[in-house]
Amino acid sequence: MIIGVPKEIMRGEKRVAAIPETVKKMVESGATVLFEKGAGVGSHYWDEAYEEAGAQTIADVEELFSKAEVILKVKEPQFNHEKNKHELDMMHEGQYLITFIHPASPANHQMVKHMAERGIIGLTLDGVPRISRAQSMDALSSMSACAGYKGMIMGINDISKFAPFVTSAVGRLKPATVFVIGTGVAGLRALATAKGLGAMVYSADIRPEANSNAESLGAIIVDTGVPAEIAVSADGKHANQLPEKWLEIERDHLKETIAKADIVFCSALIQGKVAPVLLTEELVESMNPGSVIVDISIDQGGNCAITTPGAVETKHDVIIQGIKNIPGMLSTSSTIMFSKNIHNLLTYLTKDNEIALDLSDEIVASILVTKDSKIVHEGALEAMGLK
């Protein structure tokens, strides 16, 4: 098996899909690893370390894409301005792509369709199910922890006030008010970070268990108004995609806390689906001037209706952060975690030094996006109106 690891070309992305440690393991298992020169520099890994681990370093990424049978990436395929062509157009039929594709996100629909047209077999890391045997492959959870920590630091940095309660010679200054919406892995890490910095923290989630976890970290829980039987899947593991009438009820319950928050941290996701819109433009307008929205759910469409993907903009005197690669700003830690997750998944999928997809397997069924020149991902098909 020939595995290719290209350099990430998304603006500001410093992560890489393999570290020397995982390259060595892949080579020892019988694979050939092609590594684009300089791909690890952003995470402080040099080409010499990859060569010592057994990788073949390649200067021309087009050659890497041409020769590899499997491509390991961090972010979804992008347009390569140096080559003046899209990364997908450098790939070939029957080639495997393992990365974060976020196929349900409207911003990625055309890319997913193009992937199918090219005959590329796409496997998305955001589809790895939250089950015990898949924990070591769950890059979404790993990256969510990074995004929760760094995203909250970014939010704190952008507000123009102290985070903690401060006593001074001229009187007391109240702590910043932080509202975390969605307390999964990212939300809990964000919550703990804000709490550790002394902010007053509120949180909301439609899942009772998530609220219990947030409360144990010191958050004040805001009721969403959504009954558990509507909010949570039958197995109790995941949040359901809510009909619009329940989203309206949830927004109504959240609006008072949103209006008084200095930071609204948006991390509510539905696995494999488009993220629920919980902040309308009207709710953004209700916020105080200088307040901040950190919308880390933007890869799946965003929780705020007016977040611009990949940008930080001020709208209605509110700073709205839509950065798409926050874990890339924590590149050393996130690369270590990500590379081990993706290697564990690759190992799971490999039999006799080849990828063998068992379509009846829960993990495979959850991550498969395109196969046989067709889009097969349920969430993507729903979001595209094709199902």
Side-chain angles (χ1 to χ4, degrees):
M1 182 163 59
I2 304 174
I3 300 167
V5 182
K7 183 178 181 179
E8 296 298 319
I9 57 175
M10 176 179 277
R11 182 180 176 184
E13 181 56 75
K14 297 180 180 180
R15 290 173 292 176
V16 64
I19 57 176
E21 179 185 338
T22 58
V23 166
K24 185 178 181 180
K25 290 179 180 178
M26 288 186 275
V27 172
E28 288 176 345
S29 70
T32 296
V33 178
L34 308 179
F35 189 86
E36 185 180 358
K37 286 187 176 180
V41 171
S43 299
H44 309 293
Y45 292 102
W46 314 121
D47 292 341
E48 292 78 9
Y50 288 100
E51 291 168 354
E52 289 174 9
Q56 299 175 25
T57 53
I58 293 182
D60 187 353
V61 70
E62 208 159 355
E63 179 186 351
L64 183 148
F65 276 118
S66 174
K67 290 181 176 179
E69 298 166 323
V70 181
I71 296 292
L72 304 183
K73 271 180 57 60
V74 178
K75 298 299 292 185
E76 68 270 19
Q78 311 280 318
F79 186 84
N80 188 317
H81 291 281
E82 285 187 15
K83 292 291 184 179
N84 198 33
K85 60 175 67 175
H86 202 282
E87 287 180 310
L88 289 177
D89 292 324
M90 291 186 264
M91 297 179 68
H92 52 81
E93 185 176 358
Q95 195 170 36
Y96 289 89
L97 171 65
I98 306 177
T99 185
F100 279 116
I101 299 173
H102 299 290
S105 174
N108 293 336
H109 289 176
Q110 191 56 46
M111 181 265 294
V112 171
K113 291 176 182 177
H114 189 36
M115 191 186 305
E117 291 166 1
R118 298 283 296 172
I120 297 161
I121 303 166
L123 302 166
T124 188
L125 295 168
D126 56 288
V128 174
R130 298 283 173 83
I131 55 177
S132 57
R133 65 191 179 94
Q135 284 182 346
S136 67
M137 317 167 202
D138 188 1
L140 183 60
S141 289
S142 296
M143 297 304 98
S144 293
C146 296
Y149 168 77
K150 190 66 173 181
M152 183 55 70
I153 295 293
M154 290 161 53
I156 294 287
N157 189 58
D158 269 0
I159 58 172
S160 55
K161 57 174 66 176
F162 284 113
F165 178 90
V166 170
T167 301
S168 74
V170 295
R172 298 175 178 180
L173 298 176
K174 294 180 180 179
T177 300
V178 173
F179 187 20
V180 178
I181 303 177
T183 49
V185 175
L188 289 175
R189 176 52 57 192
L191 192 161
T193 302
K195 195 72 179 175
L197 290 170
M200 174 70 72
V201 183
Y202 295 79
S203 75
D205 199 295
I206 59 175
R207 300 164 297 170
E209 184 179 355
N211 287 326
S212 295
N213 292 335
E215 192 170 25
S216 71
L217 291 175
I220 300 168
I221 306 302
V222 178
D223 179 30
T224 65
V226 183
E229 59 269 22
I230 300 292
V232 185
S233 60
D235 60 9
K237 296 178 181 178
H238 305 293
N240 286 328
Q241 190 170 35
L242 299 179
E244 182 59 30
K245 70 173 185 177
W246 284 108
L247 285 175
E248 289 179 6
I249 291 170
E250 184 174 4
R251 292 183 199 116
D252 189 60
H253 278 69
L254 303 182
K255 66 181 182 182
E256 183 180 338
T257 310
I258 289 171
K260 69 181 181 181
D262 297 301
I263 298 173
V264 177
F265 190 91
C266 301
S267 55
L269 292 173
I270 310 297
Q271 189 171 31
K273 312 285 186 180
V274 176
V277 175
L278 299 174
L279 273 76
T280 61
E281 185 165 7
E282 182 181 2
L283 287 175
V284 175
E285 288 184 72
S286 74
M287 296 176 67
N288 292 319
S291 53
V292 175
I293 295 169
V294 183
D295 194 351
I296 72 162
S297 66
I298 193 61
D299 273 328
Q300 288 179 223
N303 292 147
C304 175
I306 58 173
T307 303
T308 300
V312 178
E313 297 180 345
T314 299
K315 300 177 181 180
H316 306 297
D317 294 319
V318 175
I319 300 167
I320 305 176
Q321 299 188 10
I323 301 300
K324 289 173 65 68
N325 60 331
I326 294 174
M329 298 176 177
L330 203 67
S331 60
T332 299
S333 295
S334 59
T335 287
I336 291 170
M337 298 167 78
F338 180 90
S339 62
K340 292 183 178 182
N341 289 143
I342 201 170
H343 173 257
N344 289 336
L345 177 60
L346 179 64
T347 301
Y348 179 80
L349 299 173
T350 301
K351 184 177 181 181
D352 298 327
N353 204 29
E354 289 184 356
I355 289 183
L357 298 181
D358 177 3
L359 301 184
S360 66
D361 180 82
E362 182 181 1
I363 296 173
V364 174
S366 297
I367 65 175
L368 190 60
V369 178
T370 53
K371 188 178 185 295
D372 299 326
S373 298
K374 296 178 181 178
I375 300 169
V376 297
H377 187 273
E378 182 180 338
L381 292 170
E382 284 181 9
M384 292 177 185
L386 300 176
K387 185 174 180 179

